[in-house]
Amino acid sequence: MRPAVFSLLGLFLFSSAALAEVVAKSVEYKHGPAALEAVVVYDNASTVKRPGVLLATEWGTSNVETRSKAAQLARLGYAVLFVDLFGKGVTPKDGKDAATRLGLAGKARTLVRERMAAAVALCGKMPKMDVKTTAAADYAVLA
C-alpha cells in the first residue's frame, strides 16, 4: 500500500510541476508625466501570493539576460517586478547612457529613488505579490 501511495504522490507532484509555467506580463504605470512599463514575472503553478523581488538593471526591461534572471527567480517561488527606470520603450546604449538618463551625475539619486518608489507602489496592486515580503535587487549585466 505504501509504495502505491508514494507513487501516486510522486505522480501528482511531477504532473503539477510539469504544468507550471513562467509567465511574464507587461504592466504600465506612471511616475509623474513619464510612462513606464514594468514586467511582472511569476510561476503560475501557485495561486497564493508569493514573496516579491523588485529587479532593476542598467539595461532596462528588454534585455534578454536580465529577463532570464527574472525567470530564474520566478522558478524559485518569487513574484518578480522588473522595474522600468528609463521610460516605456527606452533602452540605454551603455552604462554611461543609463547614468545620464537617470541623472546620476555626482551624488544626485532623486530620479532613481522616485522611480523605485513608483514601482513599490505598483507592487501593492500586483495580485501575485506579497508586498510585505518584498525585497529589491540590482542585477548588473557587464559587457
Side-chain angles (χ1 to χ4, degrees):
M1 179 69 176
R2 277 191 172 178
V5 170
F6 287 124
S7 295
L8 286 174
L9 181 61
L11 181 62
F12 172 74
L13 292 175
F14 178 73
S15 64
S16 65
L19 296 175
E21 178 184 358
V22 173
V23 176
K25 294 181 179 178
S26 295
V27 181
E28 293 185 14
Y29 63 112
K30 290 221 177 245
H31 166 243
L36 303 170
E37 185 174 34
V39 178
V40 63
V41 184
Y42 58 91
D43 187 333
N44 71 353
S46 175
T47 58
V48 299
K49 287 188 175 191
R50 59 211 78 189
V53 175
L54 277 77
L55 185 62
T57 78
E58 77 273 17
W59 295 107
T61 59
S62 62
N63 183 274
V64 173
E65 189 172 341
T66 50
R67 281 185 177 241
S68 173
K69 180 56 72 178
Q72 288 174 351
L73 290 168
R75 283 188 205 95
L76 291 172
Y78 296 96
V80 181
L81 184 67
F82 197 3
V83 179
D84 181 1
L85 295 174
F86 303 101
K88 185 175 178 180
V90 176
T91 302
K93 294 179 280 197
D94 53 32
K96 184 177 179 180
D97 183 37
T100 301
R101 288 177 183 276
L102 294 175
L104 297 179
K107 296 183 180 183
R109 302 290 185 261
T110 304
L111 182 60
V112 173
R113 287 186 183 121
E114 289 174 353
R115 296 264 168 103
M116 286 302 290
V120 169
L122 181 63
C123 287
K125 299 174 185 173
M126 299 285 103
K128 300 284 184 184
M129 188 177 289
D130 180 0
V131 74
K132 293 179 183 173
T133 57
T134 297
D138 175 19
Y139 181 68
V141 180
L142 303 175

